[in-house]
Amino acid sequence: MSEAAAPEAPWWTRAVVYQIWPRSFSDSDGDGVGDLRGVVDRLDHLALLGVDVIWLSPIYRSPQDDAGYDISDYQDVDPVFGTLDDLDHLLAEVHARGMRLVMDLVVNHTSDEHAWFAESRSSVASPRRDWYWWRDPRPGHVGGEPGAEPTNWGSAFSGPAWTWDEATGQYYLHLFSRKQPDLNWENPEVREAVYSMMRWWLDRGVDGFRMDVINFISKTLPLTDAPVPDGATLGDAFDAVASGPRIHELLAEMRREVFDGRDGAFLTVGEMPGVTPEDAVLFTDPERREVDMVFQFEHVGLDHGPGGKWDPVPLPPTALRDSLSRWQLALADRGWNSLYWDNHDQPRAVSRFGDDGEHRVVSAKSLATLLHLHRGTPYVYQGEELGMANAPLAEASELRDIESINHLREQVAAGRDEADVLASIRPMARDNARTPVQWDGSLHAGFTAGEPWAPVNPDAAVVNAAAEHDDPDSVFHHYRRLVALRHDDPVVALGDFALVGADDRVYAFTRTLGDSLLLVVVNLSGDEVPAPPGAGLWHDAELVIGVRPDGADPVVGRTLAPWESQVWRREVAR
C-alpha cells in the first residue's frame, strides 16, 4: 500500500476501541454493581488512555440470566445500570471528549421475558409464533421426556438446546441458556423489528454496533440431528447454526436497511465464532457492504484440549505466531482484522498468554506491543491496560457466571470431585474477566463504596489505575504510547505485514508503508533467546518502543531478555 492511499482509509483503521463491561467497571451509587454514571465518572481515564471508541456491553433491560445478554427490552436501560437519561448523558460526555460509543447488539436471541417471546409462546396461533423456533417432539416420543427433543443439539451452557413448553405442547430452540430463545431470522417481520430498533438507537446518537454471535442468525434448514462428539451425549450443532446459507444476504440487508442514507461515521463489528480467514475476507470486503470487521476465535481456541475449553493445554508460541500471522496475511489485500487478547468471555491476557507472576508487567507490555503493531483495529478490554490478571476463584462460591456454574453443577452431578472440576474451570472461566476494575488500592479497589457484586482480585493493592497513572513506566502508560503511535504513524495503521524468521519462542515481523519500515520483535517466553537472524543489520535503526525486565533500552541484534519486545524504525531507500 502506498503512503498516498493512507488518508483515504476509513477512520477506524487508526482507531482503538475500549470495551466496558458495565457491571464491573465503576459503581456510582454504592450498591455494589457498576452503572452508567460510574462510566461517566471514569471517562477521563479513557481520554487519558487515548482511545477513540467505547464499546458498551449490554445495558438493556434484562433478567440478567446471562449477565445482560438475555434482553427483555431493547429500547430501555436496566435499572441496575440506570436510566435512558443516564445513557443520553453518557453519550453526550463521550462525544464531548471526541470519542464514539458503540452498543452491543444481541439479536440472535432475546430473553424469554421479552414481550416478543411472551406473545410467541402464548398460543400456537399467535401472530408471533414464527418469530422463534418452535418444533413438535421427536416422532414417537412424548414431549418433555428425555430424548423427545426435536434434534439432539446441546446448548452452549450445558444441557439440551430445546426446552419443552407444556402450555403449547412444543419445544423452543435456545443455543445458549433456556432463558435465551433464538429468534427466527427467516421471518421478515423479525428482521424489520430488529432493524427498526437499530435505527432507533442510531437516531439517539450511538455510533454503531458490536454484533453478538451474529453469524448464528442464519441456520441451515431443515434443523436435523448433529454429530455427537466422542465422550458427549448431545450433538454438536455448530455446523448447522454458524454462518448458514443466508448469512451474507442478511448482513447486506441489515447494512442497507439500517445504515444507508445516514450521515455519520459508524462502526459495525461482527462476533463470529468459527469464521475462517477466507470467510472474514467476504464479510469485511468494503465492496460487499456487510460489516467493517469481525471477531474471530481461532487464537483463543489454541489452548483448548481434547475436552474443550475446560481441558486447557500449554500454548506454544509458534501456534500463536502461526495463527495471528495467518490472519494478517489473509486479510492483507481485502477486508480488515479486529485485534484482541481478551474480553468479557475470555480469561485475562497476561495470565493466559503472558506471565502473571514474576514477569507480569513486562509480559503485559510486550503482549500489548505485539497486538497493537499488527494491522487491524485493536480492542482493549477494561483492566487490560493495567495488566489485570486472572482471579483466584479459590472456592465455588466465587463463581458468578452461568457457564461456569452450570458446568460445575453438571460435572459434580456426574460424579466428578468438585475440587477437580473447579481446578479445570479456574484458568478459563469468564469470571476471570468480570472481577471489578481496580481503580486504587483502597477497600474494594475504589470500584464501589458498598459490597461488590463479585470479589475484587486481591492483587488490587498493587495493580490499580491510581498507582499506574503516577508511574510513567507502568503498563497503563505503555498502552498510552501504543495508542498514540497508531494515531500518529500511518505505517502502524496501514503498513503491509511480513513475517521474519526467528527462534520458535520469538514472534518477529515487519510493517512497511512507502519508505517507512518497522521491525517488531517479541520474546514470548521467560527465557533468554537469540535475536532474529539479520536483526543486527538494523544497527542504525531508531528505537520506537522497547520493553525489557530491567527497564533498560533494548539493543538491536542482541540476545532477548525474558518477555523483551522491541520496535525499530528505519527508512527504506527506493
Side-chain angles (χ1 to χ4, degrees), residues 211-403:
M211 305 174 182
D212 188 67
V213 292
I214 197 65
N215 62 325
F216 284 12
I217 62 175
S218 174
K219 297 167 173 63
T220 300
L221 302 178
L223 309 183
T224 59
D225 282 349
V228 179
D230 290 344
T233 58
L234 293 170
D236 180 357
F238 186 83
D239 289 342
V241 301
S243 299
R246 299 188 65 189
I247 187 60
H248 294 290
E249 171 196 347
L250 294 176
L251 290 177
E253 179 183 80
M254 176 189 289
R255 186 77 172 226
R256 278 194 316 274
E257 296 296 323
V258 176
F259 295 97
D260 276 5
R262 286 183 176 271
D263 293 329
F266 302 112
L267 180 65
T268 57
V269 188
E271 183 200 33
M272 298 188 180
V275 71
T276 67
E278 294 73 25
D279 296 331
V281 169
L282 297 177
F283 284 118
T284 65
D285 181 349
E287 295 184 1
R288 294 173 59 88
R289 295 180 49 75
E290 297 183 23
V291 295
D292 297 324
M293 60 194 78
V294 301
F295 282 142
Q296 54 92 5
F297 284 68
E298 183 177 295
H299 67 295
V300 294
L302 295 173
D303 55 0
H304 293 184
K309 71 177 287 184
W310 306 124
D311 181 26
V313 296
L315 176 60
T318 50
L320 195 59
R321 179 189 66 199
D322 292 348
S323 175
L324 295 180
S325 63
R326 189 163 72 92
W327 279 83
Q328 289 287 294
L329 295 169
L331 277 72
D333 299 321
R334 285 189 300 146
W336 195 251
N337 276 293
S338 295
L339 309 173
Y340 76 96
W341 283 127
D342 53 13
N343 56 38
H344 64 291
D345 284 334
Q346 304 294 334
R348 287 288 179 181
V350 72
S351 299
R352 186 181 198 177
F353 300 112
D355 177 350
D356 61 8
E358 176 186 359
H359 297 298
R360 183 190 64 83
V361 171
V362 68
S363 68
K365 290 180 179 180
S366 289
L367 287 172
T369 297
L370 174 61
L371 191 81
H372 284 248
L373 266 294
H374 276 97
R375 187 172 185 269
T377 299
Y379 287 72
V380 179
Y381 178 66
Q382 61 184 44
E384 179 189 331
E385 78 280 14
L386 308 176
M388 281 181 60
N390 276 359
L393 300 179
E395 304 290 340
S397 60
E398 296 179 19
L399 300 177
R400 298 291 185 272
D401 177 46
I402 184 175
E403 182 185 37

Side-chain angles (χ1 to χ4, degrees), residues 161-172:
W162 296 92
T163 288
W164 174 247
D165 182 59
E166 185 74 39
T168 58
Q170 284 189 314
Y171 286 89
Y172 65 86

Side-chain angles (χ1 to χ4, degrees), residues 430-549:
R430 300 195 302 183
D431 287 290
N432 285 306
R434 301 180 180 189
T435 57
V437 172
Q438 297 158 204
W439 294 107
D440 57 42
S442 67
L443 181 67
H444 307 320
F447 163 73
T448 181
E451 188 67 25
W453 77 279
V456 173
N457 195 316
D459 68 3
V462 175
V463 183
N464 64 74
E468 296 200 25
H469 285 184
D470 292 339
D471 178 4
D473 196 39
S474 66
V475 176
F476 175 78
H477 284 289
H478 186 74
Y479 269 81
R480 286 188 70 204
R481 289 187 281 272
L482 290 169
V483 173
L485 186 63
R486 175 165 293 271
H487 290 162
D488 298 340
D489 194 337
V491 70
V492 177
L494 298 169
D496 293 332
F497 170 94
L499 268 177
V500 173
D503 183 279
D504 282 350
R505 292 159 290 183
V506 174
Y507 188 174
F509 56 91
T510 58
R511 302 289 310 284
T512 310
L513 183 69
D515 296 333
S516 188
L517 178 64
L518 298 181
L519 172 66
V520 182
V521 179
V522 181
N523 178 5
L524 291 171
S525 79
D527 306 320
E528 288 193 353
V529 297
L537 300 177
W538 287 64
H539 60 87
D540 58 345
E542 168 199 2
L543 179 65
V544 179
I545 289 181
V547 176
R548 284 176 56 93

